[in-house]
Amino acid sequence: MDKIVLITGTSTGIGKACALYMDQLGFTVYAGVRRSDDGTAMKKQASERLKIIIVDVTDEHAIANAVKQIQTEHGRLDALINNAGIGIGGPLELMDTKVIQGVFNVNVVGLLAVTKAFLPLLRSSKGRIINIGSSAGYLAFPGACAYCGSKFAVRAITDALRLEFKHFGIKVILVSPGAVESAIWDKGKAYKEDLRDKADMEIGQRYDTLRRFGDSLYTDLKKIPAIEAAKVVAEALTSAHPKRYYVVGKDAKGARKVSYLPAALLDWIILRGINKFSQHEEVINME
């Protein structure tokens, strides 16, 4: 029996790669986008099995319509891949509270809302839920508290739901990629640049070292092709005995390892790395 798979956030990056790759594997893929135009180009690259479906994870009406459509057309859902996410961040003092709320509304509340809405279909099929996390769900960096907080939350949610849904026969799995080629990087960089442009000069200067540190990460991190993450997601979907956690990319695996270090040592390592970008003798106290 062909698997019916819903993937949220398929306009670009990992979501798009997952939709196209799973279509190639022969699954019936519902590629979730916020606007129908976002799926036009992808549809041209896929088979007739792939269907574009409107799923804005912050819109309960859109979610309900998506449930109704899949229920009407197939009567079941074998897998939900919660990929939709926002990757923007910055120093807390510079971020608008509404932007912070937006990050959590998409990355956390939206994931929960979609999962809850599709639970009856997933329960009847004893399906799988694959949540797309991040290396930021293992290792938090200053200057990215909102994004890291949302991804730590995704990891906790996955752990809780894995146990909560176990007696339904539903497997809940976390896939945590590191740096992946995606438009999310450009959007995040543009947001930080806009923050700096709009910030009061005195306040902006307080975070100048963090800015240079962040710019260096953006430039130096080796980003893997999104298809590499998509292949791991497909493994989590098709394996008879899937792992609880999949970590994709050297940087993500490294982040997970160092996250087990004593907090004092980890703080020292991170602050030492940031201070390398200081134009002053010492901006951030490492004691």
Side-chain angles (χ1 to χ4, degrees):
M1 183 185 295
D2 291 338
K3 289 186 180 294
I4 312 300
V5 181
L6 169 64
I7 310 170
T8 64
T10 65
S11 298
T12 60
I14 294 173
K16 182 177 181 179
C18 284
L20 293 175
Y21 184 63
M22 290 180 187
D23 175 62
Q24 292 173 10
L25 294 178
F27 300 145
T28 297
V29 176
Y30 281 87
V33 296
R34 289 187 300 162
R35 296 175 296 271
S36 58
D37 291 346
D38 293 338
T40 302
M42 178 168 50
K43 186 66 177 172
K44 295 177 181 178
Q45 303 174 52
S47 74
E48 293 182 356
R49 286 188 305 274
L50 186 141
K51 301 182 180 183
I52 303 300
I53 187 169
I54 303 299
V55 186
D56 181 340
V57 302
T58 66
D59 184 339
E60 290 187 3
H61 182 68
I63 295 171
N65 283 341
V67 172
K68 184 177 180 180
Q69 180 178 340
I70 294 176
Q71 172 71 62
T72 300
E73 295 177 357
H74 292 282
R76 75 178 203 278
L77 181 65
D78 298 301
L80 167 63
I81 301 172
N82 284 309
N83 170 74
I86 295 178
I88 61 177
L92 177 61
E93 190 172 6
L94 302 183
M95 292 186 71
D96 189 292
T97 302
K98 290 183 179 179
V99 174
I100 296 171
Q101 291 172 336
V103 171
F104 278 85
N105 282 342
V106 173
N107 295 2
V108 180
V109 180
L111 180 151
L112 290 169
V114 173
T115 301
K116 179 180 178 180
F118 280 96
L119 182 57
L121 288 177
L122 291 163
R123 183 164 46 219
S124 64
S125 66
K126 296 185 178 180
R128 294 188 184 183
I129 299 169
I130 301 174
N131 294 330
I132 305 301
S134 168
S135 57
Y138 289 102
L139 187 61
F141 276 96
C145 63
Y147 179 69
C148 292
S150 72
K151 288 303 182 179
F152 266 75
V154 169
R155 181 155 66 96
I157 287 165
T158 303
D159 285 343
L161 294 184
R162 183 178 65 250
L163 302 176
E164 188 172 325
F165 295 166
K166 185 174 178 60
H167 68 291
F168 297 147
I170 298 173
K171 291 181 170 63
V172 186
I173 302 158
L174 180 69
V175 176
S176 299
V180 173
E181 294 174 355
S182 171
I184 196 172
W185 287 89
D186 294 330
K187 292 177 182 177
K189 185 180 181 182
Y191 175 73
K192 287 184 177 180
E193 289 175 349
D194 186 57
L195 277 184
R196 292 195 293 264
D197 292 342
K198 293 179 178 178
D200 178 271
M201 183 177 295
E202 181 181 350
I203 296 176
Q205 286 177 344
R206 297 174 190 167
Y207 301 100
D208 198 48
T209 299
L210 273 181
R211 175 188 63 79
R212 285 192 293 273
F213 172 71
D215 288 347
S216 175
L217 283 180
Y218 179 86
T219 303
D220 296 341
L221 270 179
K222 185 177 181 181
K223 304 172 184 66
I224 63 173
I227 185 62
E228 297 303 319
K231 289 178 179 178
V232 174
V233 173
E235 179 184 345
L237 174 61
T238 58
S239 174
H241 303 286
K243 302 175 185 177
R244 293 175 175 83
Y245 312 108
Y246 292 83
V247 183
V248 188
K250 290 182 178 179
D251 58 328
K253 292 175 182 177
R256 187 183 185 190
K257 286 181 180 179
V258 301
S259 70
Y260 296 118
L261 291 174
L265 176 58
L266 184 55
D267 286 355
W268 185 86
I269 291 171
I270 294 173
L271 292 176
R272 184 171 181 269
I274 293 172
N275 275 337
K276 291 179 180 179
F277 296 89
S278 172
Q279 293 181 339
H280 306 286
E281 184 175 345
E282 184 177 27
V283 172
I284 302 177
N285 192 342
M286 291 167 49
E287 293 182 358

